[in-house]
Amino acid sequence: MDMRPILFFDSGVGGLSIVGPARAALPEAPFVYAADSAGFPYGTKSEAEIAARVPVLLGRLAERYRPRLIVIACNTASTIALPVVRAALDLPVVGTVPAIKPAAVLSVTRTIGVLGTEATVRQAYVDDLAARFAGDCTVLRYGSAALVEMAEAKLHGRAVAPERYAKVLDGLFSQPGGDSIDVIVNACTHFPLVEAELAVAAPGVRFVDGGPGIARRIVHLVQGETWSGAGEGIAVFTRLGDDERALGPALAARGFGRIEQL
């Protein structure tokens, strides 16, 4: 029986929002969650830095854990480094891209907000998704590094003032036409972790993300394979200090009982 794990990769803990739907779909699969804590956050880095860093790290992770499949559970890393990673590794690699297509299906006002990191929202890939799947919509974008930090704080058990979420969303709503937004794409995997807080700050607005679609893609790629049991999940960090160890309870609650350093 093939017990190679499915490996999820992100700069921080945002990719846990992708793990949830995947674990629900494949409860017996062994998972490894890798966070590039030494390089966090990606959203404020240049494209060149991310394109150079991510393939090297994933090569090291693939060598250590021998995964059957890798999920780049990070919109920023996916939109920048996915083609290079796929060319470098001889195994399936699933990327994470903004859920603009399902947002366009849901929108009544035909005005969509894309909330991501600064690095993600400026990518030409987002232009292409908007043109292909939301051509009849106004697509407004806003990049927020602060919201990434707020999601990380939540998983560390630190309180975040509610008005900070409203301030982030104002970056979308204050744009020309922003008052017509009825669907917001959480285009960073950190953001679904604080979707409840965002929803309170924006009543009547729907939020969508790529987690369910990625879970379906993983299931398709591993169909026909069986496992005897998930076992203890492993969380691995590129820097392992007190801040990362403080995530132990949140990680254990999501099935990652072991913490290691790359």
Side-chain angles (χ1 to χ4, degrees), residues 1-8 30-34 57-71 88-93 222 225 227 234 236 260 262:
M1 186 173 292
D2 188 351
M3 288 303 296
R4 291 177 299 158
I6 297 171
L7 188 145
F8 296 79
F31 285 1
V32 172
Y33 186 84
L57 284 175
L58 284 174
R60 291 173 59 193
L61 288 162
E63 185 176 1
R64 176 184 288 194
Y65 295 104
R66 302 293 178 185
R68 72 181 70 196
L69 182 147
I70 288 176
V71 181
L89 298 180
D90 188 24
L91 74 167
V93 180
V222 300
E225 300 183 29
W227 294 272
I234 301 170
V236 55
E260 300 178 356
L262 183 63

Side-chain angles (χ1 to χ4, degrees), residues 110-179:
R110 313 315 292 157
T111 304
I112 296 167
V114 177
L115 188 62
T117 66
E118 295 170 7
T120 293
V121 299
R122 66 175 178 248
Q123 294 304 312
Y125 193 88
V126 179
D127 295 330
D128 179 62
L129 289 173
R132 288 165 57 198
F133 301 118
D136 66 334
C137 296
T138 298
V139 179
L140 303 176
R141 313 180 197 185
Y142 183 68
S144 174
L147 193 55
V148 176
E149 300 285 357
M150 290 153 67
E152 292 268 334
K154 180 179 179 179
L155 259 69
H156 279 87
R158 299 192 292 266
V160 177
E163 57 267 23
R164 293 188 64 193
Y165 294 101
K167 183 178 179 180
V168 169
L169 289 170
D170 190 57
L172 284 172
F173 295 139
S174 65
Q175 295 181 39
D179 57 350

